[in-house]
Structure formats: structure tokens, C-alpha cells
Amino acid sequence: MTFAIRVKPGTRVDLGSIDSSDNGGLTKKSGKERMELLALQLNDLQDTLYAAGQHGVLVVLQGMDTSGKDGTIRRVFRYIDPLGAKSWAFKVPTELELRHDFLWRIHDKVPERGMMTIFNRSHYEDVLVVRVNNLAPVDVWRSRYEHINAFERLLTESNTVVLKFFLHISPEEQRLRLLAREADVEKSWKLSVSDWAQRQSWPAYMEAYEDALSKCSTKQAPWHIVPADRKWFRDLAVAEAIVDALEPLKAGWIESLATLGVERRKELAEYRARGGES
Ligand code: ADP
């Protein structure tokens, strides 16, 4: 059973038809138990990924404000060794970044082989917030879907596993989360007037997301739609999709490590044959 909805390349996404409060028929308790196992499995996969150094893994998280991008990172990657993982949050571009092409700051942060990198927002902002808020001419953002597909193809053909997740919440759930933030003195620092102002553009954002998900889901770099009104289900769906994508690669990583082990033992045997300590 897969909980995240993988967008089939070439199909048209209709977000209105996808229930953001889906729980996959699970209880919260059983969902959390499954999540714990997946988090451990992911840790194990990341260890082998790091040691083998054959692939990089790039996880892209997108979603409206309060959709839970930060929380997903904290919970899904809870056991990951910080030595083998990095996470980047992409904010409003700096002046220097704006003087480059939109992918410049992104390409700089993609994972080298052996590493797992998580993007909190990404190059997709350049066809989302930029489109909705008219930050660039139509011709400019419209040409970006093709640039994105070409860029991601370059990554996947260079042994980077690219997995993209849209955390799908309802506008009502967002309203509740913003109000909860306001009521919590320790979380109020996260508030911004623009969170509420941007809600006026909800339909325009959904349209922009539908275009991005429809035009840029490819076999090699698929988009997943994650029902995210329930935090525990969101975490479970993301973790499961990552584990499912990496598990088939593990045998190859183990094989390369075994070959390496044989070479290292041979080198040691030769060292000892030359009189080295044993
Ligand atoms: P977050 O909401 O992710 O926790 P912030 O409150 O700092 O963090 O928001 C980051 C802001 O940067 C978001 O409003 C996002 O739309 C904006 N942003 C990110 N990338 C771009 C971009 N390429 N162009 C314009 N705005 C961007």
C-alpha cells in the first residue's frame, strides 16, 4: 500500500479531487508504529548510501505555509546521521542570486554522491510564488518548466535520486494552524501578516501547483502528492515513498561495498606478507 500519490508523467493533476485529510484507513497509533519502523529503515539505507557513495538523494518538499515542511524533515529523518545529510531552506532570493539564472543557487546545493539532501522549498518557488505574485513576466516563468525538467534530468542521469513531495493541506486546516500559532506564545514568532494575505491567493496557488506537478513529474524525478492535514499520516507517506525508492538500490550498494572489502583484505594480506604487523 502506498500512501503518497505518485503523479503519473503526462497526466493532469486536479488537487480539488484529492482529500487532504486522508488517513489511508489507519489509526494514528498504527500509523506512528509504521513510521517508527520506516524511520529506522531509512537510517539503515542512509548508512549504506553514504558508505557506497554511488548515488546522491535529493528530497524536495513544497507546500503552502504551515503545510509542515519543517516538521516532516524533523520526523522523517529523525535517526539520520547528520554527517550524511544536509537540509536547505530557500528563501526570497538575495540580490546576488537574482543576478544569476534561477537554478544557480539550487544547483550549488544538490547532494554529492553518498549524501542525502532535503530542500525546504526549492526551484519550484520560481513557478509558484513568482507566478502568483507576478514577480517575473509570464514568458519568463513559463519557460521554466522545461528548464526544470532538463535540470532534473541532468541530476538523475548523474546518479541523483530525485523525489519531490507536495504537502497537500486544506485552506481550513491552514487557518486552524495559523490560529494555533497565534495562540501559542512560543510559536508566535513564526507569524507573518503575509501568511494571511497570501491566503487570498489560495486558488491561484493551487492552479500554479497543479501546473508544476503536471508538467514536471517524470519517471526519474516524480512528484508525490501527500495528504497532509494529519501530521502523522504526512510523515508516514513521505517516509514510505523514500524508503520504497531507495530499497531497490541497496543491493547494488552492498555489492560495491563487498567488492571494496575484498580489495581492502587483499591489500592487508599483501602488507602482512611483506612483514607487516598482524
Ligand atoms: P518558510 O515559510 O519556508 O518557513 P519564510 O517565512 O522565510 O520560510 O518564507 C520563505 C519565503 O521565501 C516564502 O514566502 C517563499 O515563497 C519565498 N521564496 C522562496 N523562493 C523564492 C523565490 N525564488 N522567489 C521569491 N520568493 C521566494
Side-chain angles (χ1 to χ4, degrees):
M1 168 96 203
T2 50
F3 299 121
I5 301 157
R6 192 175 160 126
V7 179
K8 238 171 119 190
T11 57
R12 184 77 207 153
V13 170
D14 172 16
L15 288 172
S17 69
I18 298 171
D19 180 9
S20 56
S21 67
D22 191 16
N23 64 3
L26 299 176
T27 61
K28 184 171 177 177
K29 185 169 175 289
S30 68
K32 285 192 159 227
E33 283 164 8
R34 282 171 87 143
M35 175 62 214
E36 175 66 14
L37 295 178
L38 285 166
L40 289 166
Q41 211 178 334
L42 191 55
N43 172 44
D44 184 48
L45 282 163
Q46 188 263 330
D47 266 355
T48 319
L49 167 88
Y50 184 77
Q54 290 187 341
H55 292 87
V57 176
L58 174 62
V59 174
V60 171
L61 297 179
Q62 284 287 162
M64 297 296 280
D65 285 324
T66 77
S67 60
K69 298 180 289 295
D70 297 337
T72 304
I73 296 174
R74 272 195 305 275
R75 280 189 285 274
V76 171
F77 301 94
R78 66 179 89 153
Y79 297 128
I80 299 292
D81 182 345
L83 272 181
K86 285 183 190 152
S87 173
W88 301 101
F90 291 97
K91 312 264 178 186
V92 177
T94 63
E95 260 186 52
L96 176 65
E97 286 168 349
L98 283 173
R99 274 189 263 134
H100 289 82
D101 68 82
F102 77 106
L103 292 169
W104 179 71
R105 65 175 182 161
I106 308 292
H107 205 167
D108 185 48
K109 300 288 186 271
V110 300
E112 67 253 40
R113 289 180 198 123
M115 293 298 287
M116 195 175 264
T117 294
I118 305 121
F119 282 176
N120 179 337
R121 302 187 188 271
S122 64
H123 42 305
Y124 282 93
E125 290 294 323
D126 292 280
V127 289
L128 294 165
V129 65
V130 168
R131 165 177 169 167
V132 172
N133 290 346
N134 294 314
L135 302 180
V138 176
D139 287 352
V140 170
W141 62 253
R142 216 176 249 156
S143 67
R144 288 180 174 163
Y145 301 104
E146 263 183 52
H147 288 307
I148 289 175
N149 284 338
F151 170 62
E152 292 180 357
R153 193 166 62 248
L154 172 67
L155 296 182
T156 57
E157 286 179 5
S158 312
N159 274 11
T160 307
V161 178
V162 180
L163 298 165
K164 302 174 294 194
F165 297 92
F166 168 60
L167 308 184
H168 181 36
I169 54 167
S170 68
E172 179 54 15
E173 179 63 23
Q174 187 195 51
R175 195 179 75 87
L176 295 175
R177 289 184 187 183
L178 287 173
L179 290 174
R181 229 175 236 187
E182 202 171 329
D184 183 338
V185 280
E186 284 184 16
K187 293 204 176 140
S188 301
W189 63 270
K190 281 193 196 171
L191 291 169
S192 115
V193 173
S194 88
D195 294 341
W196 287 94
Q198 288 289 305
R199 282 173 60 74
Q200 306 304 316
S201 308
W202 191 279
Y205 267 108
M206 290 306 107
E207 211 179 303
Y209 266 111
E210 283 173 351
D211 262 356
L213 301 177
S214 305
K215 290 176 195 281
C216 301
S217 191
T218 58
K219 186 165 180 283
Q220 284 72 26
W223 267 109
H224 301 80
I225 301 169
V226 178
D229 283 355
R230 297 170 203 261
K231 295 175 184 175
W232 63 267
F233 184 74
R234 171 200 73 201
D235 298 342
L236 174 65
V238 171
E240 182 199 44
I242 299 173
V243 167
D244 279 0
L246 299 187
E247 199 59 54
L249 298 171
K250 191 177 169 186
W253 299 338
I254 291 175
E255 205 181 299
S256 78
L257 288 174
T259 310
L260 205 61
V262 169
E263 275 173 36
R264 294 285 180 269
R265 279 205 293 270
K266 192 167 153 246
E267 283 163 14
L268 261 180
E270 285 165 2
Y271 167 75
R272 293 198 178 113
R274 292 196 303 270
E277 190 190 359
S278 60

